[in-house]
Amino acid sequence: MNRIGTASITTLFLPMLLHAQQPRVTPQVSGPDPTTNSFRFMAEHYGPWLQQAFDSIPGDKYAYRPMPAQQSIGYIAQHL
């Protein structure tokens, strides 16, 4: 290979090789994840309301399904 070809290949590929040798930098997170904060807020805000709503339902009604294909009230309460 001639001298110009070798120089051009070195010029093109050397930066990629040097970049690949750089240590990986992990991003520093200053606080908790915003998604986690959102779920935490919803649980703290709406949790007592859900608990009161399900406590007001009689125990024998937890098997009730509005339509056969829908989930029962007890399954929804368990899920939430």
Side-chain angles (χ1 to χ4, degrees):
M1 194 177 247
N2 61 17
R3 187 179 264 178
I4 295 174
T6 304
S8 63
I9 289 175
T10 304
T11 305
L12 291 174
F13 291 112
L14 185 63
M16 288 191 311
L17 293 173
L18 292 176
H19 180 70
Q21 299 300 318
Q22 298 296 323
R24 185 173 186 162
V25 178
T26 57
Q28 297 295 325
V29 179
S30 61
D33 185 26
T35 305
T36 305
N37 287 340
S38 176
F39 278 111
R40 186 172 289 123
F41 171 78
M42 293 294 215
E44 291 172 358
H45 186 72
Y46 295 112
W49 291 357
L50 284 171
Q51 187 175 7
Q52 288 176 354
F54 286 122
D55 285 344
S56 68
I57 298 172
D60 59 341
K61 300 293 184 195
Y62 274 89
Y64 172 72
R65 295 173 179 240
M67 299 287 291
Q70 291 179 328
Q71 298 170 343
S72 68
I73 301 294
Y75 182 82
I76 295 171
Q78 179 187 9
H79 178 74
L80 293 175

